């Protein structure tokens, strides 16, 4: 009985210490090191797991790691965005980890590229990390998403196997306003409906600027105008 009680107490102490360590990390003491990276994808067609190195293409935004700072931490570290898993990976002491998806670590600033990644609840299937393109009363965000296309064994001896592939999808653009999100605006009507008080000035803006709603630079120009 004493052994059982001692074991329970020991487990409680370990649990409390682990929670305390994580809590300290969340309060700006450092980056947590308890989310390991596996970098594997299950393949239903082949019936096994693929390592990223066995898949054509890349799930990562940009090339390699880039130094970044993180809200909720006083540390900087090499980091990269995995647009397949919608996770931020960072390295510390030569080991790779996944940044917790918590409010404390919701903003990542990449030092060299000057890009900012923010975790946002958009109330849809794209909720997660977005790149902030324009900030202000109205903000513009870009979602980068990569799709896994499974390997396909040859149907017969005349066909060939198709390898597994990571495919980068077209980006999605969200405009955040006081009224909510304008998700993937398609035309000027989507904008005018959200800003009836700016109808006249917007009509003039659209006449003077041939805005293409799938072009990042055009949307930056539009949202910058909305913030004037």
């Amino acid at each position: 009985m004493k052994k059982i009680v001692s074991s329970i107490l020991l487990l409680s102490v370990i649990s409390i210490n682990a929670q305390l360590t994580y809590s300290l990390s969340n309060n700006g003491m450092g980056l947590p090191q308890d989310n390991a990276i596996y970098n594997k994808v299950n393949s239903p067609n082949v019936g096994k797991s693929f390592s990223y190195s066995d898949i054509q293409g890349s799930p990562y935004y940009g090339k390699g790691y880039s130094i970044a700072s993180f809200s909720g931490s006083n540390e900087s570290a090499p980091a990269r965005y995995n647009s397949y898993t919608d996770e931020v990976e960072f390295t510390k002491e030569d080991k790779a980890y996944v940044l917790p998806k918590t409010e404390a670590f919701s903003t990542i600033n990449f030092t060299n590229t000057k890009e900012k990644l923010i975790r946002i609840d958009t109330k849809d299937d794209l909720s997660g990390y977005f790149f902030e393109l324009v900030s202000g009363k109205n903000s513009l965000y870009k979602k980068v998403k990569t799709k896994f296309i499974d390997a396909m064994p040859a149907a017969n001896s005349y066909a060939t196997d198709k390898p597994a592939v990571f495919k980068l999808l077209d980006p999605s653009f969200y405009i955040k306003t006081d009224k909510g999100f304008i998700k993937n605006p398609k035309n000027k009507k989507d904008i005018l409906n959200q800003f009836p008080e700016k109808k006249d000035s917007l009509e003039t803006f659209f006449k003077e600027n041939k805005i293409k709603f799938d072009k990042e630079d055009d949307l930056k120009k539009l949202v910058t105008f909305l913030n004037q």
Side-chain angles (χ1 to χ4, degrees):
M1 184 65 181
K2 287 183 179 180
K3 289 183 178 180
I4 294 174
V5 172
S6 298
S7 297
I8 293 173
L9 288 173
L10 179 60
L11 289 173
S12 298
V13 170
I14 292 172
S15 176
I16 291 170
N17 285 337
Q19 292 176 17
L20 179 58
T21 300
Y22 187 78
S23 176
L24 288 173
S25 297
N26 275 353
N27 287 326
M29 295 299 293
L31 293 169
Q33 296 171 261
D34 51 3
N35 290 320
I37 295 175
Y38 297 100
N39 286 346
K40 289 188 177 182
V41 182
N42 291 326
S43 169
N45 290 345
V46 179
K48 69 173 187 178
S49 293
F50 285 123
S51 296
Y52 282 6
S53 58
D54 298 325
I55 304 171
Q56 291 187 1
S58 172
Y60 295 107
Y61 177 82
K63 295 181 179 180
Y65 287 90
S66 180
I67 297 297
S69 60
F70 311 83
S71 61
S73 174
N74 58 3
E75 286 188 87
S76 294
R80 60 183 177 180
Y81 175 55
N82 187 325
S83 57
Y84 168 65
T85 61
D86 191 39
E87 293 176 334
V88 174
E89 301 174 5
F90 68 93
T91 62
K92 186 173 180 181
E93 298 174 356
D94 297 325
K95 293 184 180 180
Y97 303 92
V98 175
L99 191 70
K101 292 183 177 182
T102 62
E103 185 64 27
F105 298 106
S106 61
T107 302
I108 299 92
N109 288 287
F110 292 94
T111 305
N112 295 333
T113 63
K114 307 301 182 185
E115 292 173 301
K116 179 185 288 188
L117 197 59
I118 301 179
R119 193 163 176 268
I120 304 172
D121 182 8
T122 53
K123 308 297 183 184
D124 61 11
D125 59 344
L126 291 183
S127 282
Y129 290 107
F130 285 75
F131 286 95
E132 183 181 76
L133 304 180
V134 178
S135 62
K137 182 178 180 182
N138 302 289
S139 302
L140 176 63
Y141 298 102
K142 178 175 72 173
K143 183 71 176 187
V144 178
K145 188 73 176 173
T146 296
K147 179 181 180 181
F148 170 71
I149 300 175
D150 201 354
M152 186 64 66
N156 52 59
S157 58
Y158 298 100
T160 57
D161 295 339
K162 292 184 178 180
V165 176
F166 280 124
K167 180 182 179 182
L168 180 64
L169 304 179
D170 291 335
S172 297
F173 297 99
Y174 283 25
I175 300 174
K176 186 178 181 181
T177 74
D178 288 341
K179 300 176 183 178
F181 289 97
I182 305 175
K183 302 178 179 181
N184 278 322
K186 299 294 188 296
N187 49 52
K188 68 178 186 179
K189 183 179 178 181
D190 290 342
I191 307 301
L192 291 170
N193 287 340
Q194 285 279 349
F195 298 93
E197 73 282 2
K198 292 180 176 284
K199 184 177 184 300
D200 292 341
S201 60
L202 277 170
E203 289 285 9
T204 301
F205 173 82
F206 285 125
K207 284 181 182 179
E208 296 176 350
N209 299 273
K210 295 182 179 180
I211 297 297
K212 294 184 178 180
F213 289 85
D214 60 344
K215 299 299 182 183
E216 182 175 320
D217 287 343
D218 285 3
L219 288 173
K220 284 181 178 179
K221 184 185 295 184
L222 171 60
V223 177
T224 298
F225 173 78
L226 290 173
N227 283 334
Q228 292 176 357

